[in-house]
Amino acid sequence: MEKLLEVKDLYVSFDTHGGEVHAVRGVNFELEKGETLAIVGESGSGKSVTSKALMGLIPNPPGRIKNGAILFDGRDLTKLAEKDMQGIRGKEVAMIFQDPMTSLNPTMTVGNQIMEGLRKHQKMNQGDAHARAKELLALVGIPNPEVRVNQYPHQFSGGMRQRVVIAMALACNPRLLIADEPTTALDVTIQAQILELMKDIQKKTDAGIIFITHDLGVVANVADRVAVMYAGKIVEVGTVDEIFYDPKHPYTWGLLASMPSPDGTDEELYAIPGTPPDLIKPPKGDAFAARNPQAMKIDFEIEPPMFQVSHTHYAATWLLHPNAPKIEAPEMIQNRIRQMKAGNRNG
């Protein structure tokens, strides 16, 4: 497959009154053309900051990319001037934000908002841009596009507004689409429709997709690979099956355990104990150690490297060291994995 994006040793920090927040700390990943990579983790894990860095949207000040490279088609986006990024943003790389109401201008028709990108990047005239806007609304499943193109955001439901935002992102046929929590504010029925829409669009355009979410359950039927983030780092990465059916990092165990069971038999939901660390003063060793019931002495002293499980599966946990004691995932996690496998077979 053709490599579309490569992120190398990315560090992003923000200056605050309390000190420097080390929001992203040495992130590495790749994305192939036509592939979907899901980045999952709790709020504050660095997912959205990573996505904004890819778009060149880190406000400076107070934020800055301290180190690393973002190679898109071989070009390092971190080295480009803002004027050059404006030629890439929206045209080559586009983003779907979490809340459509913050992405849409209430004083403009949705058609004019879609047409902005077409006229800027594609140099279309008014008539061609208007026709293309109607085509895009139809593509994302909005009925009566010839009428809806002249309506305003408040005349659309939440799910339809999110479809408009997707249409705007797709307007210039980007090769990389970043979806930052695109279904969080939607009910489960609309959520499923939006996810199915994104899969369908990817088949038609062969775009690479980075899907940002805190909900592992959302990515099961969307992603090809999953990267699990915690405290500004990727702690495990693998195919969907490897992450769901053979997880190795205790944090991934906790995320899986906190998902509702497929059969709805949970009496109560599991919650990972404790809270994420203060990234003004990142902890020594494994950042998850304080919340990890399986933590060993070394976890509090030395940060674990990425251990290779397979050619596609890596995890940063000392449990994978050859000299580590053989600790299996807790029974709760093993039961959840068995439930998911059974549900997958039955589905």
Side-chain angles (χ1 to χ4, degrees), residues 6 18 36 38 56 130 133 137 141-142 144 165 169 191 214 219 224 230 237 266 288 317 326 336:
E6 186 175 8
T36 298
H130 193 265
L137 291 177
I142 293 180
N144 303 317
V165 171
Q191 183 181 89
H214 65 275
V219 309
D224 300 301
Y230 183 75
V237 62
D266 291 323
F288 189 61
T317 170
K326 301 303 177 187
R336 182 52 45 85

Side-chain angles (χ1 to χ4, degrees), residues 237-285:
V237 62
T239 66
V240 167
D241 284 353
E242 287 168 337
I243 297 299
F244 276 79
Y245 301 147
D246 191 28
K248 298 300 183 183
H249 198 285
Y251 179 61
T252 310
W253 295 349
L255 289 180
L256 288 169
S258 64
M259 290 169 53
S261 65
D263 55 13
T265 57
D266 291 323
E267 293 185 4
E268 60 180 288
L269 289 177
Y270 173 80
I272 300 173
T275 57
D278 180 0
L279 291 183
I280 292 178
K281 296 180 180 178
K284 184 179 176 183

Side-chain angles (χ1 to χ4, degrees), residues 3 35 38 49 61-62 68 72 76-77 96 103 110 126 142 269 305 309:
K3 187 184 297 183
E35 180 186 31
V49 173
F72 177 70
D76 188 353
L77 301 186
I96 303 168
S103 305
V110 299
Q126 182 78 9
I142 293 180
L269 289 177
V309 182

